[in-house]
mmCIF file of all heavy atoms in Angstrom:
data_model
loop_
_atom_site.group_PDB
_atom_site.id
_atom_site.type_symbol
_atom_site.label_atom_id
_atom_site.label_comp_id
_atom_site.label_asym_id
_atom_site.label_seq_id
_atom_site.Cartn_x
_atom_site.Cartn_y
_atom_site.Cartn_z
ATOM 1 N N PRO A 12 0.835 -1.206 0.000
ATOM 2 C CA PRO A 12 0.000 0.000 0.000
ATOM 3 C C PRO A 12 0.871 1.257 0.000
ATOM 4 O O PRO A 12 2.070 1.196 0.270
ATOM 5 C CB PRO A 12 -0.791 -0.121 1.310
ATOM 6 C CG PRO A 12 0.020 -1.016 2.176
ATOM 7 C CD PRO A 12 0.766 -1.938 1.260
ATOM 8 N N CYS A 13 0.262 2.368 -0.296
ATOM 9 C CA CYS A 13 0.892 3.695 -0.230
ATOM 10 C C CYS A 13 2.040 3.880 -1.215
ATOM 11 O O CYS A 13 2.971 4.659 -0.964
ATOM 12 C CB CYS A 13 1.371 4.003 1.187
ATOM 13 S SG CYS A 13 0.063 3.974 2.406
ATOM 14 N N LYS A 14 1.962 3.205 -2.349
ATOM 15 C CA LYS A 14 3.020 3.340 -3.357
ATOM 16 C C LYS A 14 3.218 4.798 -3.742
ATOM 17 O O LYS A 14 2.254 5.556 -3.864
ATOM 18 C CB LYS A 14 2.678 2.537 -4.615
ATOM 19 C CG LYS A 14 2.692 1.047 -4.402
ATOM 20 C CD LYS A 14 2.320 0.334 -5.681
ATOM 21 C CE LYS A 14 2.287 -1.159 -5.467
ATOM 22 N NZ LYS A 14 1.989 -1.881 -6.687
ATOM 23 N N ASN A 15 4.469 5.181 -3.891
ATOM 24 C CA ASN A 15 4.888 6.501 -4.340
ATOM 25 C C ASN A 15 4.647 7.610 -3.302
ATOM 26 O O ASN A 15 4.867 8.773 -3.584
ATOM 27 C CB ASN A 15 4.236 6.874 -5.673
ATOM 28 C CG ASN A 15 5.051 7.889 -6.432
ATOM 29 O OD1 ASN A 15 6.275 7.883 -6.383
ATOM 30 N ND2 ASN A 15 4.390 8.789 -7.128
ATOM 31 N N ARG A 16 4.200 7.263 -2.112
ATOM 32 C CA ARG A 16 4.029 8.256 -1.037
ATOM 33 C C ARG A 16 5.399 8.583 -0.457
ATOM 34 O O ARG A 16 6.353 7.822 -0.581
ATOM 35 C CB ARG A 16 3.113 7.723 0.057
ATOM 36 C CG ARG A 16 1.693 7.405 -0.389
ATOM 37 C CD ARG A 16 0.770 8.591 -0.476
ATOM 38 N NE ARG A 16 0.669 9.352 0.736
ATOM 39 C CZ ARG A 16 -0.207 9.120 1.713
ATOM 40 N NH1 ARG A 16 -1.073 8.136 1.614
ATOM 41 N NH2 ARG A 16 -0.223 9.885 2.783
ATOM 42 N N VAL A 17 5.490 9.699 0.211
ATOM 43 C CA VAL A 17 6.752 10.182 0.755
ATOM 44 C C VAL A 17 6.663 10.289 2.273
ATOM 45 O O VAL A 17 5.641 10.705 2.813
ATOM 46 C CB VAL A 17 7.102 11.560 0.144
ATOM 47 C CG1 VAL A 17 8.339 12.144 0.778
ATOM 48 C CG2 VAL A 17 7.288 11.439 -1.359
ATOM 49 N N VAL A 18 7.751 9.897 2.946
ATOM 50 C CA VAL A 18 7.875 10.025 4.400
ATOM 51 C C VAL A 18 9.189 10.749 4.666
ATOM 52 O O VAL A 18 10.198 10.474 4.008
ATOM 53 C CB VAL A 18 7.872 8.639 5.091
ATOM 54 C CG1 VAL A 18 8.044 8.778 6.587
ATOM 55 C CG2 VAL A 18 6.607 7.872 4.753
ATOM 56 N N PHE A 19 9.178 11.663 5.626
ATOM 57 C CA PHE A 19 10.367 12.451 5.943
ATOM 58 C C PHE A 19 10.896 12.095 7.329
ATOM 59 O O PHE A 19 10.135 11.715 8.219
ATOM 60 C CB PHE A 19 10.044 13.947 5.908
ATOM 61 C CG PHE A 19 9.649 14.434 4.550
ATOM 62 C CD1 PHE A 19 8.324 14.498 4.173
ATOM 63 C CD2 PHE A 19 10.612 14.819 3.634
ATOM 64 C CE1 PHE A 19 7.953 14.943 2.914
ATOM 65 C CE2 PHE A 19 10.258 15.264 2.374
ATOM 66 C CZ PHE A 19 8.922 15.327 2.013
ATOM 67 N N GLU A 20 12.206 12.274 7.487
ATOM 68 C CA GLU A 20 12.853 12.081 8.785
ATOM 69 C C GLU A 20 13.972 13.104 8.914
ATOM 70 O O GLU A 20 14.669 13.396 7.945
ATOM 71 C CB GLU A 20 13.429 10.667 8.894
ATOM 72 C CG GLU A 20 14.188 10.437 10.183
ATOM 73 C CD GLU A 20 14.833 9.068 10.289
ATOM 74 O OE1 GLU A 20 15.102 8.440 9.252
ATOM 75 O OE2 GLU A 20 15.077 8.653 11.427
ATOM 76 N N ASP A 21 14.149 13.627 10.112
ATOM 77 C CA ASP A 21 15.267 14.518 10.398
ATOM 78 C C ASP A 21 16.244 13.806 11.307
ATOM 79 O O ASP A 21 15.850 13.206 12.314
ATOM 80 C CB ASP A 21 14.789 15.801 11.095
ATOM 81 C CG ASP A 21 13.979 16.699 10.172
ATOM 82 O OD1 ASP A 21 14.242 16.674 8.954
ATOM 83 O OD2 ASP A 21 13.097 17.420 10.663
ATOM 84 N N VAL A 22 17.529 13.863 10.949
ATOM 85 C CA VAL A 22 18.606 13.345 11.793
ATOM 86 C C VAL A 22 19.404 14.566 12.233
ATOM 87 O O VAL A 22 20.017 15.246 11.408
ATOM 88 C CB VAL A 22 19.496 12.335 11.031
ATOM 89 C CG1 VAL A 22 20.657 11.881 11.896
ATOM 90 C CG2 VAL A 22 18.670 11.135 10.562
ATOM 91 N N TRP A 23 19.373 14.840 13.532
ATOM 92 C CA TRP A 23 19.952 16.066 14.067
ATOM 93 C C TRP A 23 21.417 15.898 14.420
ATOM 94 O O TRP A 23 21.879 14.791 14.717
ATOM 95 C CB TRP A 23 19.177 16.499 15.310
ATOM 96 C CG TRP A 23 17.790 16.928 14.972
ATOM 97 C CD1 TRP A 23 16.665 16.140 14.933
ATOM 98 C CD2 TRP A 23 17.375 18.228 14.582
ATOM 99 N NE1 TRP A 23 15.583 16.882 14.552
ATOM 100 C CE2 TRP A 23 15.980 18.169 14.335
ATOM 101 C CE3 TRP A 23 18.035 19.443 14.428
ATOM 102 C CZ2 TRP A 23 15.254 19.275 13.935
ATOM 103 C CZ3 TRP A 23 17.305 20.547 14.029
ATOM 104 C CH2 TRP A 23 15.928 20.459 13.797
ATOM 105 N N ALA A 24 22.127 17.016 14.441
ATOM 106 C CA ALA A 24 23.512 17.026 14.919
ATOM 107 C C ALA A 24 23.488 16.689 16.408
ATOM 108 O O ALA A 24 22.548 17.039 17.127
ATOM 109 C CB ALA A 24 24.146 18.395 14.687
ATOM 110 N N GLU A 25 24.528 16.006 16.860
ATOM 111 C CA GLU A 25 24.599 15.614 18.269
ATOM 112 C C GLU A 25 24.808 16.852 19.140
ATOM 113 O O GLU A 25 25.522 17.778 18.762
ATOM 114 C CB GLU A 25 25.742 14.620 18.478
ATOM 115 C CG GLU A 25 25.510 13.309 17.772
ATOM 116 C CD GLU A 25 26.668 12.325 17.940
ATOM 117 O OE1 GLU A 25 27.652 12.663 18.630
ATOM 118 O OE2 GLU A 25 26.570 11.228 17.375
ATOM 119 N N ARG A 26 24.197 16.834 20.298
ATOM 120 C CA ARG A 26 24.284 17.980 21.211
ATOM 121 C C ARG A 26 25.713 18.162 21.731
ATOM 122 O O ARG A 26 26.238 19.273 21.734
ATOM 123 C CB ARG A 26 23.319 17.787 22.372
ATOM 124 C CG ARG A 26 23.282 18.971 23.313
ATOM 125 C CD ARG A 26 22.161 18.846 24.281
ATOM 126 N NE ARG A 26 20.921 18.980 23.507
ATOM 127 C CZ ARG A 26 19.716 18.776 23.985
ATOM 128 N NH1 ARG A 26 19.564 18.427 25.227
ATOM 129 N NH2 ARG A 26 18.652 18.918 23.233
ATOM 130 N N ASP A 27 26.347 17.080 22.174
ATOM 131 C CA ASP A 27 27.693 17.172 22.748
ATOM 132 C C ASP A 27 28.785 17.298 21.695
ATOM 133 O O ASP A 27 29.872 17.787 21.991
ATOM 134 C CB ASP A 27 27.972 15.962 23.641
ATOM 135 C CG ASP A 27 27.051 15.925 24.856
ATOM 136 O OD1 ASP A 27 26.560 16.999 25.263
ATOM 137 O OD2 ASP A 27 26.809 14.816 25.383
ATOM 138 N N HIS A 28 28.516 16.797 20.505
ATOM 139 C CA HIS A 28 29.484 16.849 19.402
ATOM 140 C C HIS A 28 28.762 17.319 18.141
ATOM 141 O O HIS A 28 28.440 16.511 17.263
ATOM 142 C CB HIS A 28 30.123 15.471 19.161
ATOM 143 C CG HIS A 28 30.846 14.943 20.350
ATOM 144 N ND1 HIS A 28 32.098 15.370 20.696
ATOM 145 C CD2 HIS A 28 30.478 14.033 21.291
ATOM 146 C CE1 HIS A 28 32.484 14.742 21.796
ATOM 147 N NE2 HIS A 28 31.521 13.928 22.176
ATOM 148 N N PRO A 29 28.496 18.626 18.022
ATOM 149 C CA PRO A 29 27.684 19.125 16.895
ATOM 150 C C PRO A 29 28.339 18.949 15.525
ATOM 151 O O PRO A 29 27.670 19.119 14.516
ATOM 152 C CB PRO A 29 27.483 20.604 17.229
ATOM 153 C CG PRO A 29 28.523 20.938 18.227
ATOM 154 C CD PRO A 29 28.887 19.681 18.935
ATOM 155 N N GLU A 30 29.610 18.567 15.489
ATOM 156 C CA GLU A 30 30.241 18.303 14.198
ATOM 157 C C GLU A 30 29.791 16.962 13.619
ATOM 158 O O GLU A 30 30.032 16.666 12.449
ATOM 159 C CB GLU A 30 31.778 18.351 14.322
ATOM 160 C CG GLU A 30 32.393 17.233 15.143
ATOM 161 C CD GLU A 30 32.445 17.493 16.650
ATOM 162 O OE1 GLU A 30 31.763 18.390 17.166
ATOM 163 O OE2 GLU A 30 33.188 16.753 17.324
ATOM 164 N N PHE A 31 29.116 16.135 14.438
ATOM 165 C CA PHE A 31 28.604 14.843 14.002
ATOM 166 C C PHE A 31 27.084 14.850 14.023
ATOM 167 O O PHE A 31 26.467 15.407 14.925
ATOM 168 C CB PHE A 31 29.075 13.704 14.925
ATOM 169 C CG PHE A 31 30.550 13.464 14.900
ATOM 170 C CD1 PHE A 31 31.334 13.777 16.004
ATOM 171 C CD2 PHE A 31 31.157 12.912 13.790
ATOM 172 C CE1 PHE A 31 32.689 13.552 15.993
ATOM 173 C CE2 PHE A 31 32.515 12.680 13.771
ATOM 174 C CZ PHE A 31 33.284 13.005 14.872
ATOM 175 N N PHE A 32 26.495 14.189 13.028
ATOM 176 C CA PHE A 32 25.063 13.934 13.068
ATOM 177 C C PHE A 32 24.874 12.636 13.837
ATOM 178 O O PHE A 32 25.796 11.849 13.978
ATOM 179 C CB PHE A 32 24.494 13.855 11.651
ATOM 180 C CG PHE A 32 24.525 15.196 10.964
ATOM 181 C CD1 PHE A 32 25.606 15.570 10.196
ATOM 182 C CD2 PHE A 32 23.482 16.092 11.123
ATOM 183 C CE1 PHE A 32 25.651 16.815 9.587
ATOM 184 C CE2 PHE A 32 23.517 17.337 10.528
ATOM 185 C CZ PHE A 32 24.605 17.701 9.765
ATOM 186 N N ASN A 33 23.682 12.410 14.352
ATOM 187 C CA ASN A 33 23.394 11.258 15.199
ATOM 188 C C ASN A 33 24.038 9.989 14.617
ATOM 189 O O ASN A 33 23.523 9.373 13.691
ATOM 190 C CB ASN A 33 21.885 11.097 15.334
ATOM 191 C CG ASN A 33 21.480 10.012 16.289
ATOM 192 O OD1 ASN A 33 22.159 9.016 16.465
ATOM 193 N ND2 ASN A 33 20.338 10.220 16.913
ATOM 194 N N ARG A 34 25.196 9.642 15.186
ATOM 195 C CA ARG A 34 25.988 8.529 14.645
ATOM 196 C C ARG A 34 25.263 7.200 14.759
ATOM 197 O O ARG A 34 25.366 6.359 13.878
ATOM 198 C CB ARG A 34 27.362 8.473 15.329
ATOM 199 C CG ARG A 34 28.250 9.634 14.906
ATOM 200 C CD ARG A 34 29.532 9.652 15.660
ATOM 201 N NE ARG A 34 29.310 10.338 16.939
ATOM 202 C CZ ARG A 34 30.280 10.736 17.730
ATOM 203 N NH1 ARG A 34 31.530 10.497 17.424
ATOM 204 N NH2 ARG A 34 30.003 11.350 18.866
ATOM 205 N N LYS A 35 24.518 6.999 15.842
ATOM 206 C CA LYS A 35 23.785 5.740 15.999
ATOM 207 C C LYS A 35 22.759 5.591 14.876
ATOM 208 O O LYS A 35 22.653 4.548 14.251
ATOM 209 C CB LYS A 35 23.110 5.694 17.367
ATOM 210 C CG LYS A 35 22.343 4.418 17.604
ATOM 211 C CD LYS A 35 21.714 4.373 18.976
ATOM 212 C CE LYS A 35 20.954 3.075 19.172
ATOM 213 N NZ LYS A 35 20.252 3.041 20.449
ATOM 214 N N ARG A 36 22.017 6.659 14.617
ATOM 215 C CA ARG A 36 20.977 6.607 13.581
ATOM 216 C C ARG A 36 21.591 6.401 12.196
ATOM 217 O O ARG A 36 21.099 5.607 11.400
ATOM 218 C CB ARG A 36 20.163 7.906 13.632
ATOM 219 C CG ARG A 36 18.822 7.820 12.976
ATOM 220 C CD ARG A 36 17.891 6.944 13.750
ATOM 221 N NE ARG A 36 16.543 7.076 13.203
ATOM 222 C CZ ARG A 36 15.574 6.238 13.461
ATOM 223 N NH1 ARG A 36 15.767 5.234 14.267
ATOM 224 N NH2 ARG A 36 14.405 6.406 12.930
ATOM 225 N N LEU A 37 22.687 7.108 11.902
ATOM 226 C CA LEU A 37 23.348 6.941 10.606
ATOM 227 C C LEU A 37 23.938 5.542 10.463
ATOM 228 O O LEU A 37 23.877 4.947 9.383
ATOM 229 C CB LEU A 37 24.421 8.004 10.403
ATOM 230 C CG LEU A 37 23.907 9.421 10.155
ATOM 231 C CD1 LEU A 37 25.065 10.394 10.021
ATOM 232 C CD2 LEU A 37 23.023 9.478 8.921
ATOM 233 N N ASN A 38 24.486 4.990 11.539
ATOM 234 C CA ASN A 38 25.002 3.622 11.480
ATOM 235 C C ASN A 38 23.876 2.626 11.245
ATOM 236 O O ASN A 38 24.051 1.636 10.533
ATOM 237 C CB ASN A 38 25.778 3.272 12.751
ATOM 238 C CG ASN A 38 27.200 3.750 12.695
ATOM 239 O OD1 ASN A 38 27.867 3.613 11.669
ATOM 240 N ND2 ASN A 38 27.680 4.316 13.786
ATOM 241 N N GLN A 39 22.707 2.874 11.841
ATOM 242 C CA GLN A 39 21.560 1.998 11.597
ATOM 243 C C GLN A 39 21.149 2.066 10.133
ATOM 244 O O GLN A 39 20.847 1.037 9.515
ATOM 245 C CB GLN A 39 20.390 2.386 12.501
ATOM 246 C CG GLN A 39 20.622 2.073 13.958
ATOM 247 C CD GLN A 39 19.558 2.669 14.859
ATOM 248 O OE1 GLN A 39 18.812 3.574 14.470
ATOM 249 N NE2 GLN A 39 19.478 2.180 16.087
ATOM 250 N N LEU A 40 21.139 3.274 9.563
ATOM 251 C CA LEU A 40 20.806 3.436 8.144
ATOM 252 C C LEU A 40 21.829 2.731 7.256
ATOM 253 O O LEU A 40 21.482 1.992 6.344
ATOM 254 C CB LEU A 40 20.768 4.917 7.779
ATOM 255 C CG LEU A 40 19.429 5.604 7.789
ATOM 256 C CD1 LEU A 40 19.582 7.094 7.575
ATOM 257 C CD2 LEU A 40 18.495 5.018 6.768
ATOM 258 N N MET A 41 23.116 2.971 7.511
ATOM 259 C CA MET A 41 24.156 2.351 6.695
ATOM 260 C C MET A 41 24.179 0.837 6.877
ATOM 261 O O MET A 41 24.548 0.102 5.964
ATOM 262 C CB MET A 41 25.518 2.961 7.012
ATOM 263 C CG MET A 41 25.646 4.376 6.485
ATOM 264 S SD MET A 41 27.287 5.069 6.675
ATOM 265 C CE MET A 41 27.298 5.478 8.402
ATOM 266 N N GLY A 42 23.743 0.364 8.049
ATOM 267 C CA GLY A 42 23.700 -1.074 8.314
ATOM 268 C C GLY A 42 22.699 -1.818 7.458
ATOM 269 O O GLY A 42 22.744 -3.039 7.363
ATOM 270 N N THR A 43 21.786 -1.109 6.808
ATOM 271 C CA THR A 43 20.825 -1.756 5.917
ATOM 272 C C THR A 43 21.446 -2.045 4.552
ATOM 273 O O THR A 43 20.832 -2.709 3.730
ATOM 274 C CB THR A 43 19.570 -0.886 5.717
ATOM 275 O OG1 THR A 43 19.939 0.330 5.050
ATOM 276 C CG2 THR A 43 18.890 -0.572 7.040
#
């Protein structure tokens, strides 16, 4: 269902290390 529909997600820069975006979330994405 829902072919061609769009879903959005924001991955924020880390609070303690703003030079990095949420590394856990990006690693989960790359792990796919």
Side-chain angles (χ1 to χ4, degrees):
C13 301
K14 292 179 182 182
N15 205 35
R16 298 279 304 271
V17 175
V18 178
F19 296 94
E20 176 183 24
D21 291 330
V22 176
W23 292 91
E25 294 178 1
R26 184 170 292 172
D27 295 335
H28 300 281
E30 68 274 16
F31 295 110
F32 291 92
N33 185 329
R34 289 175 276 193
K35 180 178 180 184
R36 199 69 170 165
L37 288 178
N38 276 317
Q39 290 171 343
L40 264 173
M41 288 186 283
T43 64

